């Protein structure tokens, strides 16, 4: 898999496959055809087969896909259920929402600490997670082998924090600040307003 | 524009064009070539020209694009800066984060009310926005001609709220509950964990 270049569009669809398969599993489906899966995904059957062939196939002619097997394969491909030690920077509403989201812990993303500059909350816990001063972030990352840094601060501070994270040896960044950050490690820039603008486009073009 | 079918991939790129052009404008750039814009967007120049041709072009051979003009065109295409009356359901951390996000108001998305079931906050204000009981949502939507409903509740209640919104005549839904909802009006299902899973994929496949 590392040899071949998987297209960005396929990578972006993987979490959708994972979610749909999880739902199929939860609703008691044992198997699904590529056309059935395609219909749920809003794709066509040949695209589904092509997508899954990037990772080795998993389907059988005349049978389709075994839901449980494909779900587990997809989790493995995405690296879900491994332990990723994570930290959050910024204890505002978004930071708090992410701290309290149990779904992430269940999937292997364990919140080790949340960092802020507000002295009134440092030393307390939010959603069971210790609040520490942002000045201690770099050493915390190094000492605890943190994998993922989640940035939930305003746009002014976001780049500086990302750089400190990279220098401290973090492996990946999930950025919620409304600014695109480029760093030499994997980063996902979440642009919340993008989907709002798509919605606005659709309202205008119905 | 309504005649032609714009592909989903192009629609998803429009907010990125908007953001990049906004940044070019803010940093004092007057014009940009299609290859310059392509490089910022992570595309190739012919793809940029093709994307923008879906909406009429806007570029001039040998000159490129006038940043300010293209930025304004893109805002018009996306329907940004019109007034969209919006409500939020769910005064938890995500709901609060969205209420307090000034960027949305600046782009035309005005928060008219936030709905919850927690009696202790009903009648108060959050980020300057009135907190009302969710039982009053349907009549509020009708009486105030609300355009956009933002769902920030758990997955159990999300579908029911979406249906009530649709029945009350809302025009579009922005859903943050971790469940894909289908309704007969435009809806954007924000799946926050998708980008976390893409990050996890990249960490595993470096």
């Amino acid at each position: 898999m590392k040899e071949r270049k998987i297209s960005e569009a396929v990578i972006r669809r993987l979490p959708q496959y994972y979610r749909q398969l999880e739902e199929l599993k939860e609703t008691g489906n044992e198997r699904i055809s590529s056309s059935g899966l395609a219909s749920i995904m809003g794709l066509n059957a040949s695209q589904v087969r092509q997508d899954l062939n990037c990772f080795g196939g998993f389907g059988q002619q005349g049978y389709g896909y075994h839901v449980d097997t494909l779900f587990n394969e997809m989790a493995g491909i995405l690296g879900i259920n491994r332990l990723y030690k994570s930290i959050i920077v910024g204890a505002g509403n978004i930071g708090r929402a992410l701290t309290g989201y149990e779904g992430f812990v269940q999937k292997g993303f364990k919140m080790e600490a949340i960092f802020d500059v507000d002295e009134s909350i440092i030393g307390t816990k939010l959603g069971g997670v210790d609040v520490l001063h942002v000045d201690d972030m770099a050493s915390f990352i190094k000492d605890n082998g943190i994998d993922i840094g989640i940035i939930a601060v305003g746009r002014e501070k976001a780049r500086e924090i990302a750089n400190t994270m990279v220098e401290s040896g973090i492996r990946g960044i999930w950025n919620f600040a409304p600014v695109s950050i480029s760093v030499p490690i994997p980063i996902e820039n979440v642009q919340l307003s993008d989907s709002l603008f798509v919605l606005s486009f659709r309202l205008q073009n119905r």
Side-chain angles (χ1 to χ4, degrees), chain A:
Chain A
M1 186 163 60
K2 288 181 192 188
E3 309 276 323
R4 232 183 311 171
K5 174 89 181 141
I6 313 287
S7 86
E8 186 65 20
V10 175
I11 293 172
R12 296 265 151 218
R13 279 198 289 274
L14 296 175
Q16 297 174 46
Y17 281 110
Y18 177 81
R19 271 193 282 113
Q20 300 297 355
L21 287 162
E22 189 170 40
E23 203 165 317
L24 285 168
K25 203 182 133 175
E26 282 172 3
T27 50
N29 293 275
E30 272 186 32
R31 66 186 224 186
I32 188 154
S33 63
S34 48
S35 60
L37 191 52
S39 146
I40 303 171
M41 290 281 297
L43 300 170
N44 61 52
S46 82
Q47 194 156 26
V48 165
R49 285 191 295 266
Q50 221 176 318
D51 282 0
L52 298 178
N53 278 340
C54 294
F55 304 96
F58 316 120
Q60 276 183 308
Q61 191 124 39
Y63 176 87
Y65 300 97
H66 186 253
V67 168
D68 204 45
T69 307
L70 187 54
F71 173 72
N72 289 332
E73 290 286 348
M74 201 51 74
I77 289 164
L78 286 167
I80 293 170
N81 299 331
R82 293 169 185 229
L83 177 67
Y84 292 103
K85 292 186 181 179
S86 310
I87 57 167
I88 299 176
V89 183
N93 287 312
I94 288 189
R96 284 165 200 243
L98 295 171
T99 312
Y101 192 67
E102 281 183 27
F104 295 146
V105 180
Q106 286 162 10
K107 302 295 183 192
F109 302 88
K110 183 157 180 283
M111 301 302 164
E112 301 284 344
I114 179 163
F115 293 88
D116 206 284
V117 290
D118 179 358
E119 297 286 354
S120 74
I121 56 169
I122 286 159
T124 69
K125 278 177 191 281
L126 283 175
V129 178
D130 287 326
V131 185
L132 306 177
H133 196 285
V134 76
D135 288 348
D136 298 325
M137 181 185 75
S139 60
F140 189 91
I141 293 169
K142 288 175 199 158
D143 294 349
N144 296 278
I146 299 299
D147 300 297
I148 292 177
I150 304 172
I151 299 179
V153 299
R155 59 187 288 173
E156 312 75 38
K157 286 281 174 198
R159 285 209 169 90
E160 186 188 326
I161 285 168
N163 290 335
T164 307
M165 284 177 169
V166 173
E167 284 159 19
S168 310
I170 222 156
R171 296 177 57 216
I173 295 176
W174 199 24
N175 173 38
F176 283 81
V179 53
S180 274
I181 298 177
S182 292
V183 284
I185 61 170
I187 185 164
E188 280 289 305
N189 292 294
V190 179
Q191 297 283 353
L192 282 184
S193 56
D194 280 10
S195 64
L196 179 61
F197 294 166
V198 168
L199 181 61
S200 151
F201 173 84
R202 293 196 207 283
L203 292 185
Q204 165 152 280
N205 293 279
R206 289 201 81 187

